[in-house]
Amino acid sequence: MTSAIRFTHPGPPEVLRLVPIARPEPAAHEVRIRVHAAGINNADLLERRGHYPVPPGAPEGPGLECAGVIDAVGADVDGWSIGDEVCALLAGGGYAEEVVVPATQVMPKPRSLTMVEAAGLPEVACTVYSNLGMIAGLTAGQTVLVHGGAGGIGSFAVQWAKAIGARVIATAGSDAKAAAARTFGADVAINYRDEDFAAATLAATHGRGADAILDIVGAPYLERNIESLALDGHLVIIGGTTGPTTLDLWELMSRRASVSATLLRARPAAQKAAIVSGVIRDVLPLVDSGAIRGAVDAVFPLAEAGRAHALLESGTTVGKVVLDATAERL
């Protein structure tokens, strides 16, 4: 037997419980990871509340990323061995002492990061790279607007965009978080409670606008995000309020602009494999060089996943909140 966090019904953080489960065995294309730490993401909070439909076939339980050591390898797996230190993009079930995952969604743990820091890397790195790199095509010399620049995804997006040579404008919900976004590399940080981010973005770009926008707010920001785009700009929406809204097609057409809306968790295995491969090739060297650093706000024992969710929901964190699974084995 092993242990994992589960919940029997949607609800507040207190529904999360550490329970015994059967030890997972890897299929031929999978590896089993003895988990040292697991990252928490906003999608986990939505799943716990019952607001995030779990894709068919996804493992039970919350948790989309982890770091640890491989302790079993499927018969058809090449390139990974027992004892390798790794981190992995999961489809679920990461709040656990052991997980199984397709080998194509595993990446080497960056040498520059601890296990705790590495546990918070796969979901944010794959989200940022797939949306700003592969979809929006952000390149050196362009300008990107990152909403939530001090959060888990935002702090990574700011660092990655800066590392590839882009100019970064970030929004944040307080002066303290705006200051944190600057420490991650933002050239301009906007406290959206004090300033209109669209006007501030146009002012910071001499009226040109941003070439790419990474948005976590959704419908309430759509109109102002379009206003903030440069000609041929690309808005990528990855979360937030998803209800019906109005899109001014003329504002979009007059900019020759594009809008994409994506989810990472439900993507087919082949797409996830391509994203992970790109992260290994293009992003991890930036981590190992120190251009991108781990950004962990707080660490909780695995059994205290509820407290960790409550902290993330408070909106006060900078960077990631991570669960330490080694505490359960002491």
Side-chain angles (χ1 to χ4, degrees), residues 300-324:
F300 291 84
L302 179 62
E304 298 181 17
R307 286 184 57 215
H309 270 218
L311 176 63
L312 186 56
E313 284 180 328
S314 73
T316 61
T317 57
V318 171
K320 300 282 295 202
V321 177
V322 174
L323 298 173
D324 181 356

Side-chain angles (χ1 to χ4, degrees), residues 140 147 200 202:
H147 289 298
L202 292 174

